[in-house]
Amino acid sequence: MPDIRTQSLTKPTTVAEYLFTRLHQLGIRSLHGLPGDFNLVALDYIPKCSLKWVGSVNELNASYAADGYARAHGIGAVVTTFGVGELSAINGIAGAYSEHVPVIHIVGCPSTISQRNGMLLHHTLGNGDFNVFSNMASQVACDVARLNNPAEIPSQIDQAIRECWIKSRPVYIMLPTDMVEKKVEGERLDTPVDLSYPANEPEREDYVVDVILKYLHAAKDPIVLVDACAIRHRVLGELEELINKTKLPVFVTPMGKGAFNETRPCYGGVYAGSGSADHVRERVENADLVLSVGSLKSDFNTSGFSYRTSQLNTIDLHSTHTVVRYSEYPGVTMRGVLKKVTERVDVSKLTKKGLEMKTVKNEVRENMDDSKTITQAWFWPRIGEHLQEGDVVVTDTGTSNFGIWETKFPAGVIGVTQILWGSIGWAVGAAQGAALAVKDRGEGKRTILFEGDGSFQLTVQEVSTMIRHKLDVTIFLIYNDGFTIERFIHGMDAEYNDIVTWKYTEIPEVFGAVQGKGFRKYVVKTKDELETLLKDAEFRKGKGLHFVELWMEKGDAPRGLKITTEISARNNARTE
């Protein structure tokens, strides 16, 4: 018999339908995760809300995939079960938190009755504490919603979604089994969740903008440096308007690669401190004003904290505050500041030195040698010539993350990389998620994954999910005999950096792929063989799964990796 609360509802709907409808309203069409007895009933409602269940092979890969989906689409979601499932996923969720990626983590948990009675259930620690895992999750989530009271659940869900979007970080939603089919007010679904960004306080914003313009107008050689949080916090549109008006020279960090159209004359290259090309390092470090947008100055993003820019010449714009030289302005965020700087900047007062830019190109000929061997120095610029507008390029921690610095992107390329968190193997799951987002959006783009053989062995099962959903993914498996990035940090010939040699090209067939039917495999050992492959018409289309076993020398690595790992090794060896 319905209770008084339920009788008062205008449009009764279940909690599961409410939650999944909200996900659909965000543009999410595919839901990653794994079934477990505490989420099974909720999963029944997924198709009813026009969502597709992905069915990942383990929760860690599912969390990686949800991260990749969010980077390509804007937001992602993953469903796990209580305890064993969510803890398997927490590494991927922590990576999303670290790198400002909005992922909604939904955890099916025991009923409120079981929790209240402290029952000794499976998937628990046996101590009656049912909040222990959500407490863990709170450290890597910007909002935790425990859906225990039907009267509060709709507002809790809406608040979690808003926090996830605005702060661009994961949220954790704990859904007890006895709440899944409780009725809540569905009329709220007629109004989308408010995802508008809070405005800066006008007077404070105006003051900060005036200070910025004073320094910008006075500068003789200003540049713009774009980093990851400009992408994650969605200010690329505002940034482009500023550059269109001012024509200021633009550089990106490794984590910011793909944030700006690299074919434009004002694009100057990738700045990573000592790991930068000489002309890039000189231009950035000699600038008398650096307008830094969304910086994340981590060790690998800065080649071991090797920036040589002065804070006295720097303006830092962030999602939560602004820093002008050594003055910090809490709560004055970059979105509003960028808009007003663009509106009010006097272009006639800006220096024209910014037009004197060295053209960025893929330096293939400059890195060609007489050997047949595919070298890191030659490969990455050559890949730049292979890329097409709109490609989604996924690189894993290791040689790929550093090699891609040497690749000039065509317009519209989305760079997907995890430089701060750096969980090896992440990119296989992330590529699956990104490719699925592309498919869900009907965009027809290629997704290209660059993965080392060592990293690949950690998450190889996600190739089966690519096959299951007939995704368009090209995998370049860099076959160089082990953990190269670890070798350069410590233990070049150590056994712990070695791996077992797999028959890599046979793996997709183990997972059910059939050669010639949406799947093609290749073994490429020389430059000539790679040239032939990159000119192949079917390969260039990128339809279906293309698996390339690409041979490189064991001791070869990109220039940026060598520089960064040398500094990292020194930092690791410090004793005080």
Side-chain angles (χ1 to χ4, degrees):
M1 183 176 180
D3 56 26
I4 295 175
R5 184 194 64 82
T6 302
Q7 289 177 332
S8 67
L9 300 176
T10 303
K11 292 183 179 180
T13 190
T14 65
V15 169
E17 288 174 298
Y18 189 95
L19 174 57
F20 294 143
T21 299
R22 282 302 197 203
L23 298 187
H24 190 274
Q25 290 175 347
L26 294 171
I28 294 172
R29 294 296 179 266
S30 296
L31 198 53
H32 289 91
L34 272 83
D37 60 334
F38 294 130
N39 66 27
L40 293 175
V41 175
L43 300 187
D44 288 337
Y45 286 88
I46 289 175
K48 298 177 183 177
C49 299
S50 300
L51 297 175
K52 177 174 60 182
W53 177 247
V54 177
S56 304
V57 293
N58 61 57
E59 289 88 356
L60 177 60
N61 284 4
S63 63
Y64 289 163
D67 179 319
Y69 191 101
R71 292 178 193 239
H73 170 66
I75 193 167
V78 60
V79 179
T80 63
T81 196
F82 185 74
V84 294
E86 60 180 305
L87 292 188
S88 180
I90 199 168
N91 173 29
I93 298 299
Y97 185 89
S98 169
E99 301 226 344
H100 294 249
V101 180
V103 174
I104 299 168
H105 186 191
I106 301 164
V107 178
C109 69
S111 70
T112 58
I113 299 169
S114 297
Q115 294 183 48
R116 192 162 53 245
N117 293 334
M119 296 181 69
L120 192 64
L121 297 180
H122 61 288
H123 298 344
T124 71
L125 299 180
N127 60 2
D129 184 354
F130 289 87
N131 288 324
V132 61
F133 305 126
S134 61
N135 288 338
M136 292 181 188
S138 69
Q139 302 302 304
V140 290
C142 65
D143 189 78
V144 173
R146 300 180 178 93
L147 307 185
N148 295 328
N149 182 350
E152 300 174 354
I153 285 175
S155 60
Q156 285 181 287
I157 291 172
D158 291 356
Q159 173 67 13
I161 288 173
R162 175 171 168 77
E163 288 291 291
C164 184
W165 181 264
I166 298 298
K167 294 182 178 177
S168 196
R169 277 186 156 151
V171 294
Y172 178 96
I173 297 177
M174 188 174 177
L175 178 57
T177 55
D178 60 334
M179 293 292 113
V180 171
E181 297 185 299
K182 289 288 188 182
K183 299 292 185 179
V184 295
E185 183 54 78
E187 190 174 40
R188 292 177 60 117
L189 294 172
D190 296 337
T191 304
V193 175
D194 179 13
L195 301 180
S196 60
Y197 292 91
N200 293 326
E201 196 279 316
E203 289 187 0
R204 298 185 70 204
E205 181 179 80
D206 286 341
Y207 176 78
V208 172
V209 169
D210 287 342
V211 173
I212 291 172
L213 289 175
K214 180 181 74 172
Y215 290 117
L216 184 58
H217 289 148
K220 302 301 181 184
D221 187 15
I223 62 104
V224 177
L225 182 61
V226 187
D227 209 336
C229 283
I231 304 171
R232 308 287 193 269
H233 293 276
R234 310 174 190 91
V235 297
L236 297 186
E238 288 81 359
L239 176 66
E240 185 173 10
E241 289 179 5
L242 175 65
I243 303 306
N244 287 343
K245 183 174 181 179
T246 63
K247 306 299 189 297
L248 289 171
V250 178
F251 298 82
V252 300
T253 68
M255 289 183 71
K257 190 144 173 66
F260 188 74
N261 183 352
E262 298 184 9
T263 67
R264 294 187 57 174
C266 58
Y267 174 70
V270 178
Y271 177 68
S274 298
S276 316
D278 289 343
H279 71 277
V280 171
R281 186 177 66 254
E282 291 169 6
R283 185 62 195 275
V284 172
E285 294 177 358
N286 288 329
D288 63 349
L289 181 67
V290 177
L291 183 61
S292 172
V293 184
S295 68
L296 274 175
K297 297 177 183 177
S298 71
D299 51 355
F300 281 7
N301 201 33
T302 63
S303 291
F305 308 112
S306 62
Y307 274 22
R308 295 295 180 267
T309 55
S310 170
Q311 187 59 45
L312 279 173
N313 294 336
T314 303
I315 296 171
D316 289 299
L317 305 182
H318 294 280
S319 62
T320 55
H321 65 286
T322 297
V323 180
V324 182
R325 305 179 89 181
Y326 285 103
S327 299
E328 182 170 344
Y329 303 94
V332 181
T333 64
M334 59 184 170
R335 184 178 308 277
V337 170
L338 281 169
K339 287 180 179 178
K340 282 191 178 176
V341 167
T342 302
E343 291 170 2
R344 299 179 184 180
V345 64
D346 185 344
V347 179
S348 68
K349 294 181 180 179
L350 297 179
T351 177
K352 298 301 181 183
K353 187 176 179 181
L355 299 177
E356 303 168 8
M357 298 285 288
K358 178 178 178 178
T359 301
V360 177
K361 64 177 183 176
N362 288 302
E363 298 184 344
V364 181
R365 290 185 179 179
E366 292 85 343
N367 288 287
M368 174 68 81
D369 58 23
D370 296 331
S371 73
K372 295 182 179 181
T373 302
I374 300 169
T375 63
Q376 296 275 352
W378 175 82
F379 174 72
W380 295 105
R382 181 62 187 89
I383 282 297
E385 295 181 338
H386 170 69
L387 296 180
Q388 301 171 8
E389 288 192 11
D391 281 344
V392 179
V393 177
V394 187
T395 54
D396 209 333
T397 298
T399 56
S400 302
N401 265 358
F402 292 89
I404 205 70
W405 300 3
E406 313 300 333
T407 300
K408 180 182 178 181
F409 283 173
V413 169
I414 297 174
V416 179
T417 187
Q418 196 192 54
I419 291 174
L420 174 54
W421 186 245
S423 185
I424 62 173
W426 162 86
V428 182
Q432 182 269 103
L436 187 57
V438 168
K439 183 178 181 179
D440 284 353
R441 293 163 69 94
E443 293 175 332
K445 298 177 179 178
R446 302 187 305 181
T447 298
I448 305 175
L449 166 64
F450 298 94
E451 183 78 14
D453 51 4
S455 298
F456 184 68
Q457 292 192 4
L458 274 73
T459 49
V460 59
Q461 310 99 309
E462 211 54 34
V463 173
S464 70
T465 311
M466 299 175 187
I467 295 167
R468 176 180 182 177
H469 292 282
K470 297 180 173 61
L471 300 180
D472 297 330
V473 182
T474 298
I475 300 175
F476 284 92
L477 188 284
I478 299 174
Y479 184 89
N480 58 359
D481 198 20
F483 299 114
T484 300
I485 187 171
E486 315 293 6
R487 293 189 193 282
F488 276 87
I489 294 175
H490 183 79
M492 177 60 73
D493 298 310
E495 184 180 12
Y496 48 73
N497 285 327
D498 295 336
I499 58 173
V500 175
T501 300
W502 289 1
K503 297 179 179 179
Y504 292 103
T505 57
E506 296 182 16
I507 287 172
E509 292 170 291
V510 171
F511 293 143
V514 178
Q515 174 79 346
K517 296 184 178 180
F519 163 62
R520 296 174 72 188
K521 61 182 179 181
Y522 320 82
V523 176
V524 176
K525 299 182 180 181
T526 68
K527 291 188 182 77
D528 287 343
E529 290 174 353
L530 181 60
E531 287 288 359
T532 299
L533 177 62
L534 296 183
K535 293 173 183 176
D536 180 272
E538 287 302 311
F539 182 77
R540 288 189 60 80
K541 290 178 183 176
K543 298 301 180 184
L545 177 64
H546 295 263
F547 192 100
V548 183
E549 182 180 291
L550 184 81
W551 286 40
M552 289 188 178
E553 293 292 324
K554 177 179 177 179
D556 191 13
R559 176 184 54 82
L561 183 146
K562 293 177 182 178
I563 294 170
T564 304
T565 53
E566 181 182 350
I567 297 171
S568 179
R570 289 202 302 265
N571 287 338
N572 290 345
R574 292 174 63 181
T575 58
E576 60 179 42

